[in-house]
Amino acid sequence: MHVTGFMTPATKVFSCFDDSPIDRALTLMLNEKISSVVVINRENQAVGIVTKTDLASSYHRGIDLQQPVSQIMSSELYTVRETDSRDTVADLFQKKHINHAVVLNNEGIFVGLVSSWDVAAECARDAKAWPWIRSDDGRIHA
């Protein structure tokens, strides 16, 4: 199964600008019950990610929630291609000890976000399909 079959498409990914207050990312995560927010610049390019861990760390350090989100975001974005397999993504997560990766198309354009939860859910769907196989589009074949 390719990443496009189980990622969150860019149109449904919650994001905020790099100069938005930290409180904006926190509010998005709480209201939408999500674990990360992609940070974009004014040219709509993904430049970072803020996770629950980043927020907990900033709380621990006493950072003012009105500071720009760029102060706490992880700017080292890990990326995968939309044609990468589930196992390729799982290997990246395991090797880098991360839970999120930005999905890019062949032109390097941001097309989605994939999380460790997405990979786990995809594994569960494969397990339920047994003894049949699933194709790259997610369909079950006998």
Side-chain angles (χ1 to χ4, degrees), residues 47-49 73-78 96:
V47 294
I49 191 166
M73 72 181 189
S74 299
S75 57
E76 184 175 6
L77 284 177
Y78 291 95
K96 298 295 183 180

Side-chain angles (χ1 to χ4, degrees), residues 11-120:
T11 56
K12 294 185 178 186
V13 172
F14 289 94
S15 62
C16 66
F17 289 112
D18 52 359
D19 58 357
S20 298
I22 296 168
D23 187 57
R24 171 77 177 132
L26 175 62
T27 300
L28 275 173
M29 284 190 218
L30 291 173
N31 289 347
E32 302 301 330
K33 297 177 176 61
I34 55 176
S35 61
S36 67
V37 173
V38 173
V39 180
I40 58 174
N41 61 19
R42 294 294 172 173
E43 289 79 40
N44 285 325
Q45 299 166 319
V47 294
I49 191 166
V50 174
T51 65
K52 288 180 179 179
T53 302
D54 297 322
L55 289 173
S57 176
S58 62
Y59 172 78
H60 180 72
R61 292 181 293 160
I63 294 178
D64 179 7
L65 293 179
Q66 296 311 307
Q67 291 293 315
V69 75
S70 60
Q71 297 294 313
I72 66 162
M73 72 181 189
S74 299
S75 57
E76 184 175 6
L77 284 177
Y78 291 95
T79 62
V80 295
R81 294 290 177 177
E82 62 186 346
T83 54
D84 283 346
S85 71
R86 175 198 66 204
D87 293 343
T88 299
V89 176
D91 285 344
L92 174 69
F93 287 171
Q94 187 270 327
K95 287 176 184 168
K96 298 295 183 180
H97 303 281
I98 59 171
N99 292 303
H100 300 86
V102 171
V103 183
L104 305 176
N105 66 14
N106 289 334
E107 291 78 42
I109 309 259
F110 168 60
V111 295
L113 185 70
V114 64
S115 71
S116 53
W117 178 257
D118 297 326
V119 172

